[in-house]
């Protein structure tokens, strides 16, 4: 169960975590079991590999955003892009020439536009510089909804998550409330 206010960091087998997030977003079939989101839950997904959103696309950043928006006005779209430091003529840059960090910023702009109350975020800090990682950390901490998160960044996991779920290679899992630091201390106490 995911409860209101839960910000859950998933740790363990990276391939399993990515697959789990894809199952939750209906991108891959589940081997077994079932899940159900509450009727008031709306999700935004940040995939580990965002290439499917950009490969073979020669749209400008502005037009790329437009394809996901009900409001097609430039002013509306620029509002979200500006929050990710795309301003002036930068919004006319084709998405097929963007750097990894620019693609990440586009994905975050897209997620903000949806206004979802649950974020599923898989390795959000890959391709980002330190200043951007700090901004992502602060944004995730301030987010009022639920978060399911996987990250290599110790600081993000420790400061954002209030619950840790470890997926083990044998398919079992551990679900512990608290920070990542609390979780590591608990694991350390088991080996004493």
């Amino acid at each position: 169960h995911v409860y209101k206010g839960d910000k859950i960091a998933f740790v363990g087998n990276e391939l399993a975590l990515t697959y789990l997030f894809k199952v939750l977003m209906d991108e891959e079939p589940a081997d077994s079991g079932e899940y159900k989101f509450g009727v008031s839950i709306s999700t935004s997904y940040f995939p580990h590999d965002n290439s499917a959103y950009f490969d073979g696309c020669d749209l400008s950043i502005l037009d790329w955003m437009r394809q996901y928006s009900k409001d097609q006005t430039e002013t509306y779209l620029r509002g979200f892009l500006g929050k990710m430091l795309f301003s002036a003529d930068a919004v006319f840059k084709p998405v097929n020439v963007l750097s990894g960090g620019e693609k990440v910023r586009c994905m975050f702009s897209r997620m903000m536009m949806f206004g979802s109350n649950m974020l599923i975020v898989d390795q959000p800090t890959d391709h980002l510089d330190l200043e951007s990682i700090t901004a992502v950390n602060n944004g995730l901490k301030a987010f009022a909804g639920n978060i399911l998160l996987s990250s290599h960044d110790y600081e993000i996991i420790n400061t954002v998550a209030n619950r840790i779920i470890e997926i083990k290679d044998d398919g079992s899992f551990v679900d512990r409330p608290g920070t990542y630091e609390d979780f590591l201390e608990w694991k350390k106490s088991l080996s004493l």
Side-chain angles (χ1 to χ4, degrees):
H1 290 92
V2 176
Y3 301 100
K4 185 175 182 171
D6 272 351
K7 294 183 179 181
I8 305 171
F10 288 81
V11 296
N13 183 315
E14 281 184 44
L15 293 174
L17 299 178
T18 293
Y19 197 84
L20 171 64
F21 290 164
K22 286 181 174 186
V23 167
L24 293 175
M25 295 309 298
D26 290 326
E27 290 186 359
E28 294 288 346
D31 293 338
S32 63
E34 59 184 58
Y35 67 93
K36 184 172 100 174
F37 290 114
V39 294
S40 64
I41 297 297
S42 60
T43 60
S44 284
Y45 178 45
F46 184 95
H48 183 234
D49 178 10
N50 62 30
S51 59
Y53 293 87
F54 298 99
D55 287 354
C57 183
D58 60 357
L59 295 173
S60 68
I61 295 171
L62 188 63
D63 288 334
W64 181 86
M65 278 287 284
R66 189 172 276 130
Q67 68 185 340
Y68 300 109
S69 179
K70 290 178 183 171
D71 186 334
Q72 299 286 297
T73 62
E74 187 171 324
T75 304
Y76 177 77
L77 298 170
R78 277 181 175 273
F80 294 101
L81 291 169
K83 291 175 186 173
M84 289 291 120
L85 307 178
F86 292 112
S87 58
D89 288 343
V91 299
F92 301 116
K93 188 175 183 179
V95 296
N96 59 359
V97 298
L98 296 179
S99 69
E102 289 170 321
K103 289 177 181 177
V104 167
R105 290 171 28 219
C106 282
M107 293 298 291
F108 277 119
S109 294
R110 179 181 172 272
M111 290 174 72
M112 286 188 295
M113 185 174 61
F114 293 153
S116 300
N117 57 14
M118 176 179 258
L119 304 180
I120 299 176
V121 186
D122 193 3
Q123 304 295 338
T125 58
D126 291 357
H127 309 292
L128 295 179
D129 60 25
L130 185 57
E131 185 178 347
S132 299
I133 291 170
T134 301
V136 168
N137 190 0
N138 291 338
L140 292 175
K141 282 192 306 192
F143 183 69
N146 293 94
I147 299 174
L148 307 181
L149 167 72
S150 169
S151 179
H152 294 293
D153 190 296
Y154 175 88
E155 186 69 18
I156 284 181
I157 291 177
N158 196 51
T159 59
V160 171
N162 62 8
R163 185 171 153 196
I164 308 297
I165 296 178
E166 179 183 25
I167 307 290
K168 298 184 178 187
D169 289 335
D170 65 4
S172 64
F173 69 94
V174 175
D175 184 350
R176 298 278 304 174
T179 66
Y180 189 52
E181 202 167 280
D182 296 336
F183 177 77
L184 293 176
E185 285 295 320
W186 172 78
K187 281 190 74 160
K188 187 177 175 183
S189 72
L190 295 178
S191 61
L192 295 177

